[in-house]
Every structure is written in structure tokens, then in C-alpha cells.
């Protein structure tokens, strides 16, 4: 007999009674190993990963996801060899240049989570341009996490609140979850409902530490270049089997 999860793998299909997560966040991992398995340089894997980005952005928009957050480059990724870092930056530039029109046509608003100032000037410029030219798009928000680290984001937010306290705008006792939320890159956005990590590792690697506190976590062995529409649908079908209890008991949820 097939287990429940095996059944899902075989007939993963969305049905009208399923909930589409409002916000999906993805740690796109496994490009390097995907390429190494094919005896190709790591950058070959990153290039193939860009095709997955296109496919997943298109699918998410099509099925009605409102926020899609993609972890593309972490604060720690600056420690990689120079050639890999510059290769990634150049892919990013090409991607943004090529996608600007598609984003506008598909009504997708681009946002960046992370230290924009650390990016090379040419990448920063096309990023700013894309953000500006898509700012009124309402179909879906695509957050690219670039030079992003959850801890750095929290420190930045806490500093902002500390400054407001120092200049008398707020008192320390007024600081609550909402004010910290508002001081993060994701201000005004709902928390992720579903957090996916491809590539087989089961860790957060400094991603959305605050925002993911109640996200359903989904880890898959599939490496990012192989993660396409089919695999995203599978993850959403799994998500629909979860019961989000937020600290309550299952019985309490049934009477609500
Ligand atoms: C994810 O793939 C992409 C980035 C971190 C930029 P990796 O490059 O981490 O691939 P693996 O984990 O080495 O296979
Ligand atoms: C996480 O992947 C960062 C991104 C996907 C951008 P890493 O490959 O950098 O994570 P670790 O080093 O395995 O934790
Ligand atoms: Mg990795």
C-alpha cells in the first residue's frame, strides 16, 4: 500500500477546495551540487536555477499566490569564491533585465529584502529600476532576498526602534510585535505560510528568522534546478494536509 505522502507525490494536483498559501518563501538550494553531479562548473547549476525561478514565479502568479519570497543570496554567501559571487551577480543582472517586461505584463511587483547597498552598482541600478517600474503592480509581490540575513535584518530593525526611542518618538514600553514587524524589510506583508527548502538540507540558513515563526516547513531532496511547477504543486498539496494549530489543540480548532 502507498503511504499518504507517496500518494501525494503520484497525483499531486490542486483542487478547488485546497488553500493556496498566501505567502510562499523558498530557500533555493542545491544548484552547485546539481552541476557537480553533471561534472559541470557550479555556475552551470546557477544558470539552470534561473529557469526554475522563471517557472516558479509564473506558476505562483497563475495559481494565486500573493507573496513569493525567493532566497537568492545570503549575507554569508559573500564568503564564496570571487568568481562564483561575480557570476551570480551577473546572472542576477541578466535576469532582472530580461524579466522587467514580463513582470509588468503579469502584474508582478518586485521588492528586495536585504542589503541593497552591498550589491554591485550595475545590479543595484537595474534592481531599483525594476522595483520602481513595478511598484503599482497588484497581482503578486515577488520578494528577492539579496544579501539577506535574518539576524542582520533584526539588528537593523532594532536599531531603527532604538533611534525612535532616543529621539522620543516612542517609549520602550510601546515596542510590540507590530512595531518590530514594521521595522523589517517585509513591513506590511503577511508572514510566510509555507517555507520550502530544496536541495536536501534541513536548516534555515539565516532566512526569515522572525517571519517564519509559524510557517509550515517543507524540505525536499529535489535540487533547485529540478524544482518546477510539478514540485511546487506537490508542496502545496502537502501544505493542505497540515493542521495549523498555532498553539491550540486539534479539538479546539474543530469547534471554531
Ligand atoms: C543555492 O545553491 C544558490 C545560492 C546559495 C546562491 P548552492 O550554490 O548553495 O548549491 P549547493 O548547496 O552548493 O549545491
Ligand atoms: C542558503 O543556501 C542561501 C540561499 C539559498 C541563497 P546556502 O547553500 O548558502 O546555505 P548553507 O551554507 O548550506 O547553510
Ligand atoms: Mg547550498
Amino acid at each position: 500500500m502507498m503511504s499518504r505522502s507517496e500518494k501525494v507525490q503520484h497525483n499531486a494536483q490542486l483542487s478547488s477546495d485546497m488553500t493556496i498559501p498566501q505567502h510562499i518563501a523558498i530557500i533555493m538550494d542545491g544548484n552547485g551540487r546539481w552541476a557537480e553531479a553533471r561534472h559541470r562548473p557550479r555556475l552551470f547549476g546557477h544558470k539552470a536555477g534561473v529557469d526554475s525561478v522563471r517557472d516558479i514565479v509564473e506558476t505562483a502568479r497563475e495559481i494565486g499566490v500573493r507573496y513569493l519570497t525567493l532566497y537568492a543570496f545570503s549575507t554569508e554567501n559573500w564568503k564564496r569564491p570571487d568568481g562564483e559571487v561575480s557570476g551570480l551577480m551577473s546572472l542576477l543582472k541578466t535576469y532582472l533585465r530580461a524579466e522587467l517586461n514580463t513582470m509588468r505584463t503579469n502584474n508582478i511587483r518586485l521588492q528586495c529584502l536585504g542589503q541593497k547597498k552591498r550589491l554591485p552598482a550595475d545590479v543595484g541600478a537595474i534592481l531599483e529600476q525594476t522595483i520602481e517600474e513595478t511598484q503599482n503592480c497588484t497581482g503578486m509581490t515577488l520578494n528577492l532576498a539579496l544579501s539577506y540575513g535574518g539576524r542582520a535584518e533584526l539588528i537593523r530593525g532594532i536599531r531603527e526602534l532604538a533611534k525612535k526611542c532616543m529621539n522620543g518618538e516612542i517609549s520602550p514600553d510601546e515596542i510590540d510585535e507590530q512595531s518590530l514587524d514594521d521595522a523589517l524589510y517585509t513591513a506590511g506583508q503577511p508572514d510566510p505560510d509555507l517555507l520550502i527548502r530544496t536541495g536536501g538540507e534541513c536548516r534555515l540558513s539565516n532566512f526569515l528568522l522572525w517571519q517564519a515563526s509559524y510557517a509550515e516547513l517543507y524540505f525536499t531532496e529535489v535540487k533547485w534546478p529540478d524544482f518546477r511547477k510539478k514540485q511546487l504543486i506537490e508542496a502545496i498539496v502537502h501544505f493542505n494536509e497540515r493542521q495549523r494549530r498555532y498553539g491550540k489543540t486539534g479539538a479546539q480548532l474543530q469547534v471554531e
Side-chain angles (χ1 to χ4, degrees), residues 27-36 42 46 71-74 77 80 84 88 197-199 201 203 223-225:
I27 303 175
M28 309 184 290
D29 196 23
N31 294 350
R33 282 165 285 157
W34 184 90
E36 279 154 21
R42 293 176 59 85
H46 295 314
Y71 201 7
F73 194 86
S74 73
N77 289 148
R80 292 195 178 189
E84 183 165 345
L88 280 164
R197 183 175 186 138
T198 64
E201 310 293 357
R203 56 180 170 251
K223 294 179 181 65
W224 179 249

Side-chain angles (χ1 to χ4, degrees), residues 25-247:
I26 309 182
I27 303 175
M28 309 184 290
D29 196 23
N31 294 350
R33 282 165 285 157
W34 184 90
E36 279 154 21
R38 286 159 181 76
H39 309 286
R40 303 294 296 266
R42 293 176 59 85
L43 216 52
F44 179 71
H46 295 314
K47 275 193 193 134
V50 176
D51 296 332
S52 291
V53 170
R54 288 204 180 90
D55 194 54
I56 294 306
V57 170
E58 192 184 316
T59 304
R61 173 74 183 94
E62 183 187 299
I63 64 178
V65 172
R66 299 310 311 268
Y67 295 85
L68 175 68
T69 301
L70 300 179
Y71 201 7
F73 194 86
S74 73
T75 45
E76 290 71 30
N77 289 148
W78 291 113
K79 295 180 216 154
R80 292 195 178 189
D82 291 349
E84 183 165 345
V85 171
S86 60
L88 280 164
M89 291 299 146
S90 133
L91 275 179
L92 180 59
K93 196 169 91 179
T94 318
Y95 169 76
L96 289 170
R97 267 211 198 118
E99 292 308 294
L100 176 55
N101 278 332
T102 316
M103 283 187 208
R104 271 197 304 233
T105 313
N106 294 338
N107 202 15
I108 296 172
R109 176 175 76 136
L110 182 77
Q111 295 271 283
C112 169
L113 316 182
Q115 308 161 321
K116 276 191 269 188
K117 290 202 178 94
R118 276 183 86 178
L119 301 171
D122 53 350
V123 176
I126 177 77
L127 184 64
E128 286 299 352
Q129 187 194 346
T130 314
I131 291 172
E132 200 187 304
E133 291 190 24
T134 61
Q135 64 181 337
N136 296 319
C137 294
T138 53
M140 179 176 87
T141 296
L142 169 63
N143 293 317
L144 279 189
L146 294 171
S147 190
Y148 173 87
R151 289 187 169 190
E153 178 187 38
L154 283 164
I155 295 294
R156 179 179 169 271
I158 290 163
R159 281 194 186 136
E160 191 181 305
L161 294 175
K163 281 180 197 154
K164 283 188 177 163
C165 288
M166 294 289 282
N167 67 26
E169 260 180 80
I170 54 166
S171 86
D173 292 335
E174 280 176 86
I175 295 176
D176 57 9
E177 292 191 9
Q178 187 63 49
S179 40
L180 185 50
D181 253 336
D182 292 342
L184 301 180
Y185 294 119
T186 46
Q189 301 190 8
D191 286 338
D193 305 291
L194 171 63
L195 191 154
I196 299 170
R197 183 175 186 138
T198 64
E201 310 293 357
C202 299
R203 56 180 170 251
L204 289 178
S205 301
N206 207 8
F207 190 43
L208 300 178
L209 298 180
W210 170 269
Q211 298 90 333
S213 60
Y214 262 103
E216 294 297 326
L217 307 181
Y218 179 85
F219 298 103
T220 170
E221 289 293 327
V222 175
K223 294 179 181 65
W224 179 249
D226 290 329
F227 193 88
R228 300 290 165 102
K229 178 174 185 167
K230 176 179 180 283
Q231 287 75 21
L232 180 64
I233 304 290
E234 272 168 21
I236 295 174
V237 171
H238 272 286
F239 170 81
N240 273 270
E241 293 190 337
R242 308 270 181 94
Q243 187 185 44
R244 304 184 80 189
R245 289 191 286 278
Y246 297 101

Side-chain angles (χ1 to χ4, degrees), residues 1-20:
M1 233 181 78
M2 267 195 270
S3 73
R4 212 157 78 137
S5 66
E6 273 172 329
K7 253 189 239 162
V8 168
Q9 303 287 338
H10 282 88
N11 1 307
Q13 248 181 345
L14 293 181
S15 56
S16 55
D17 59 339
M18 282 185 196
T19 304
I20 301 296

